[in-house]
Amino acid sequence: MPTITLRLELHNPTKVKQDMYERMTEVNTAFANWLLNHPKLNQATSKLFKEFSSQRFPSAVVNQTIRDVKSQRKHQKAKRFKTLWCCFNSQNWNVERKGEFYTVSFPTLEKRIGVPVVTRPYQEAWLNRLINGTAKQGAAKLYKKRKKWCLAIAITFEVKPRHETKVMGVDVGLRYIAVASVGTKSLFFKGNQCAFVRRRYAALRRTLGKAKKLHMIRKIGRKESRWMKDMNHKISRQIVRFALANGVGVIRMEDLAGIRKRTASAKEAGRSLHSWAFHQLQTMIAYKAEMAGIRVERVNPTYTSQTCRCGYRDKGNRNGIHFQCQKCGYTIHADLNGAINIAKAISGFAA
Ligand SMILES: [Zn+2]
């Protein structure tokens, strides 16, 4: 069952509330660090908190923290928690619709009341699914980011696998950031704009680098990442929508994991430069496909861009965005040819 995480900002919590959330986090972190070295951690129940402190603290949070600390001690050499946000398991928080807006309630140091949250339309759709029971809620976490208190909630849901059998290939690259192909249909996303924006940011970074303005460089880096992420969200959404509209049951993409090490061709060298962006795009496509019940397969990327439909393979077949077979003369857009070969998995599947 796929899981997604919704991040909901609490709507204008009062200063008193914010201070309380702060205090809860402090107490929780201190308790977790105290627990880490406790000899009876494995038998710990929520009653153990009384040994730690006489103040009142929600036992739902205590239970969750005990679980976290146990797994922390089991899986790694835990030293200290810098911050351990308060978490609530699925039975201990709730979402409700109150007219125009949504409220969430979770255990705090005060009486439990619903707190309004800021929602976007797609988040409202998920909250409605929780309320009508077509999706299941998981754990929730109360945390602060950029001075704003938020609740991260996990949601799981079932997906009916699609019975369609058509296979779509998706090629990612620099000139065209993505090309999708299924049967005789295709969809192109030009990379020019991405390349342009990335170049502009790179130039800005160079200028700032000379002035040693590290802080600004990092800030720009984050801005660029956000821009790219937003772009990748849009592209992946359109690709999956295109797949659904064309009866696709399987999406195939290249397995780009090994490319960073090899850089055998200019195309690959370019891709390795921007590998995080391509990886992110592929991950988003895979994730959105899975949510729609489409199976995702990874194929071996070798020769996808050099091979003709007649079977002849030659580096010279490809010249930039032009593909012309040196043997049979067949011509096609090079990235579309790549997408078609990916759909056919001409070099087999990734191990
Ligand atoms: Zn040919």
Side-chain angles (χ1 to χ4, degrees):
M1 277 205 302
T3 300
I4 61 150
T5 304
L6 282 193
R7 295 174 188 282
L8 304 166
E9 185 191 325
L10 305 187
H11 180 70
N12 289 337
T14 59
K15 181 80 177 64
V16 176
K17 280 245 161 62
Q18 294 187 45
D19 289 347
M20 177 178 68
Y21 300 150
E22 204 77 61
R23 207 162 69 241
M24 282 171 66
T25 307
E26 279 166 22
V27 171
N28 194 47
T29 306
F31 174 57
N33 284 321
W34 177 83
L35 259 185
L36 261 180
N37 305 309
H38 199 284
K40 284 185 232 148
L41 173 62
N42 285 332
Q43 298 95 277
T45 66
S46 61
K47 285 179 193 134
L48 195 61
F49 187 84
K50 284 209 180 69
E51 246 181 65
F52 167 73
S53 163
S54 59
Q55 63 190 308
R56 278 186 47 195
F57 200 66
S59 58
V61 177
V62 171
N63 284 324
Q64 200 65 30
T65 299
I66 290 172
R67 232 167 284 151
D68 283 351
V69 174
K70 272 186 193 166
S71 86
Q72 173 90 357
R73 201 156 82 171
K74 201 161 142 194
H75 297 298
Q76 23 185 312
K77 282 175 259 150
K79 284 156 252 151
R80 262 189 86 72
F81 292 96
K82 201 164 151 261
T83 304
L84 187 65
W85 303 110
C86 292
C87 289
F88 321 100
N89 77 12
S90 58
Q91 287 111 54
N92 287 307
W93 66 274
N94 195 32
V95 58
E96 271 179 278
R97 193 183 174 132
K98 294 260 169 75
E100 289 287 286
F101 55 91
Y102 295 80
T103 63
V104 289
S105 61
F106 47 88
T108 64
L109 302 174
E110 291 170 354
K111 201 174 78 168
R112 186 163 158 163
I113 47 158
V115 195
V117 284
V118 183
T119 51
R120 296 190 195 181
Y122 85 91
Q123 295 175 317
E124 289 170 12
W126 280 110
L127 296 179
N128 287 339
R129 288 191 63 175
L130 286 184
I131 292 166
N132 70 29
T134 56
K136 270 192 198 152
Q137 67 189 54
K141 178 171 85 178
L142 178 69
Y143 69 102
K144 190 168 73 171
K145 194 172 180 188
R146 292 196 198 103
K147 294 180 182 154
K148 284 179 175 147
W149 282 97
C150 305
L151 200 67
I153 60 180
I155 298 176
T156 56
F157 53 97
E158 271 188 72
V159 172
K160 284 192 213 84
R162 287 164 65 83
H163 298 297
E164 280 84 350
T165 50
K166 278 197 207 164
V167 178
M168 183 169 96
V170 180
D171 185 47
V172 299
L174 272 181
R175 269 173 268 256
Y176 281 80
I177 189 155
V179 175
S181 161
V182 49
T184 55
K185 299 244 177 75
S186 56
L187 186 65
F188 289 77
F189 294 91
K190 228 173 161 32
N192 284 3
Q193 210 209 338
C194 302
F196 169 73
V197 171
R198 295 184 68 89
R199 264 201 304 277
R200 199 181 61 192
Y201 278 121
L204 242 164
R205 265 199 302 272
R206 272 196 302 278
T207 321
L208 289 166
K210 283 175 193 145
K212 291 201 171 67
K213 289 177 179 162
L214 265 175
H215 174 71
M216 274 305 286
I217 293 176
R218 290 207 187 96
K219 205 166 148 189
I220 286 170
R222 280 197 297 272
K223 205 171 158 193
E224 184 188 11
S225 313
R226 272 202 300 277
W227 180 86
M228 198 67 225
K229 190 176 176 183
D230 191 53
M231 188 71 156
N232 281 341
H233 263 305
K234 283 179 185 148
I235 295 173
S236 55
R237 202 178 304 139
Q238 286 184 58
I239 286 178
V240 172
R241 208 174 285 161
F242 178 72
L244 291 172
N246 286 286
V248 167
V250 179
I251 288 180
R252 287 186 185 148
M253 290 185 283
E254 288 173 298
D255 180 20
L256 298 178
I259 275 189
R260 222 171 307 194
K261 289 162 209 140
R262 288 182 292 115
T263 59
S265 67
K267 184 188 178 190
E268 293 194 349
R271 287 204 294 201
S272 81
L273 261 178
H274 301 82
S275 59
W276 68 268
F278 291 126
H279 176 74
Q280 183 180 58
L281 177 59
Q282 286 193 332
T283 308
M284 286 181 179
I285 294 169
Y287 169 72
K288 290 186 172 80
E290 187 197 5
M291 296 223 302
I294 297 173
R295 208 164 72 240
V296 174
E297 293 172 351
R298 301 284 176 161
V299 304
N300 186 343
T302 328
Y303 311 130
T304 50
S305 64
Q306 311 170 3
T307 308
C308 177
R309 65 174 180 188
C310 75
Y312 180 69
R313 163 165 59 89
D314 192 318
K315 261 190 190 161
N317 282 353
R318 180 177 183 152
N319 182 8
I321 58 165
H322 304 290
F323 181 97
Q324 181 168 25
C325 180
Q326 305 296 298
K327 196 176 166 198
C328 75
Y330 174 65
T331 60
I332 183 173
H333 187 290
D335 290 335
L336 176 58
N337 185 54
I340 293 169
N341 285 337
I342 290 165
K344 287 196 243 172
I346 55 153
S347 298
F349 292 95

